Amino acid sequence: MNRILLVSALLIASASIVSAAAPPPEEAPVVTAPSKVVQAPKMAAGPKLVEPHLRIARSGIKGHARVALTFDACMGEADDRILSVLVQERIPATIFVTARWLKHNPQALQVFLENPDLFELENHGQNHVPAVDKPVSIYGIASAGSPEAVRQEVQGGADAMLAAGIAPPHWFRGSTAKYDLSAIAQIRDMGYRIAGYSVNGDGGSLLGAAVTEKRIASAKDGDVVISHINQPTHAAGEGVAKAIVDLMAKGVEFVRLQDVEDTGDDRTTQ
């Protein structure tokens, strides 16, 4: 009898322990709906930029390619390695100058002016800022950022050219050679053709001499080559000078932009 009473007591105690361990219904965990995820606001997309191409009319004669050499004179000093070859070999070229470059290179400017049969001088802007009418950074360079600033960049470059005794320019090439479409329309309305290119000769004057020489020397009939004539300490200038000699040996006909018909995309010339 005592054993039966003892077992009953143990069963009752065990049930009490289990009951105490389980939380009452009102203390059970409450499952809530997931909170709404707040999306971060989307950043405004930058302007669509284009880097226009330009080609000139081909000679159409086998073994007699026609090529336009164009050079940007952004800032810095004149690269005599290139300039001396152009003058000594009587090779025509189109030079895009900024107001900043003109201010610091009167001797090179004099060489250009003394050889009007060789050099066509055109507008590269006032302060070498990209001709984009919305704020954006291109290769680390802040754009003009507004239509008014684009106009100042273009007109300021032209005014500096006229003040230096240069004929009124007809072509414009902006810093970085990139534009947005609205700026292209604005510059065209100012009376300029916009100079793209088909061969990037020196990668902004940052390539080595051998690579630069190979790029330019590969120019074909109708190509427009862009290089720089304002970095005399860069290896690229050596490659540019050698490539000019290479092209001469191939019988290439060199022309200025003003001497031939051309075709530019993104409505830069039409």
Side-chain angles (χ1 to χ4, degrees):
M1 184 67 176
N2 290 336
R3 290 181 63 186
I4 294 173
L5 292 174
L6 178 61
V7 170
S8 299
L10 289 173
L11 289 173
I12 293 171
S14 297
S16 299
I17 293 171
V18 171
S19 176
E26 64 271 15
E27 295 180 5
V30 178
V31 178
T32 59
S35 59
K36 184 178 180 181
V37 177
V38 179
Q39 297 288 344
K42 292 183 178 180
M43 299 298 291
K48 176 186 176 182
L49 301 181
V50 296
E51 191 166 352
H53 290 84
L54 178 68
R55 295 186 64 85
I56 57 172
R58 299 177 180 178
S59 73
I61 303 173
K62 186 176 180 179
H64 186 77
R66 177 183 292 152
V67 172
L69 297 177
T70 71
F71 295 93
D72 289 359
C74 314
M75 54 200 83
E77 300 177 0
D79 191 336
D80 191 58
R81 295 170 299 180
I82 301 171
L83 184 55
S84 60
V85 170
L86 296 174
V87 173
Q88 291 171 11
E89 302 298 338
R90 309 308 296 168
I91 296 174
T94 303
I95 316 294
F96 288 86
V97 297
T98 66
R100 294 172 65 177
W101 188 88
L102 288 173
K103 182 178 180 180
H104 297 289
N105 291 276
Q107 292 181 333
L109 172 60
Q110 191 61 33
V111 173
F112 291 149
L113 296 178
E114 290 174 352
N115 292 276
D117 57 322
L118 296 183
F119 300 114
E120 170 190 2
L121 300 180
E122 298 292 352
N123 188 357
H124 196 33
Q126 181 177 25
N127 291 311
H128 198 252
V129 299
V132 175
D133 59 18
K134 299 174 183 63
V136 66
S137 177
I138 307 173
Y139 304 135
I141 305 174
S143 67
S146 70
E148 295 76 18
V150 169
R151 177 173 294 277
Q152 180 58 45
E153 174 69 3
V154 177
Q155 190 60 53
D159 291 345
M161 294 177 70
L162 295 175
I166 302 171
H170 301 288
W171 287 87
F172 176 81
R173 176 183 285 156
S175 167
T176 74
K178 290 182 181 290
Y179 316 81
D180 56 348
L181 298 179
S182 52
I184 287 177
Q186 178 183 0
I187 297 166
R188 294 286 285 131
D189 286 344
M190 293 177 69
Y192 289 93
R193 301 165 75 79
I194 297 176
Y197 61 90
S198 60
V199 175
N200 186 338
D202 62 2
S205 190
L206 298 177
L207 296 177
V211 176
T212 297
E213 179 181 5
K214 183 176 180 180
R215 282 194 178 193
I216 298 175
S218 68
K220 303 293 191 297
D221 194 12
D223 272 332
V224 175
V225 180
I226 181 176
S227 298
H228 291 75
I229 196 167
N230 65 300
Q231 296 289 357
T233 64
H234 289 194
E238 178 185 347
V240 173
K242 289 182 177 179
I244 295 172
V245 176
D246 295 342
L247 291 173
M248 287 176 54
K250 296 179 181 179
V252 166
E253 174 193 1
F254 297 102
V255 296
R256 303 172 297 184
L257 294 183
Q258 69 182 26
D259 298 328
V260 288
E261 294 183 356
D262 54 75
T263 303
D265 57 12
D266 296 306
R267 299 184 178 181
T268 50
T269 62
Q270 280 73 37

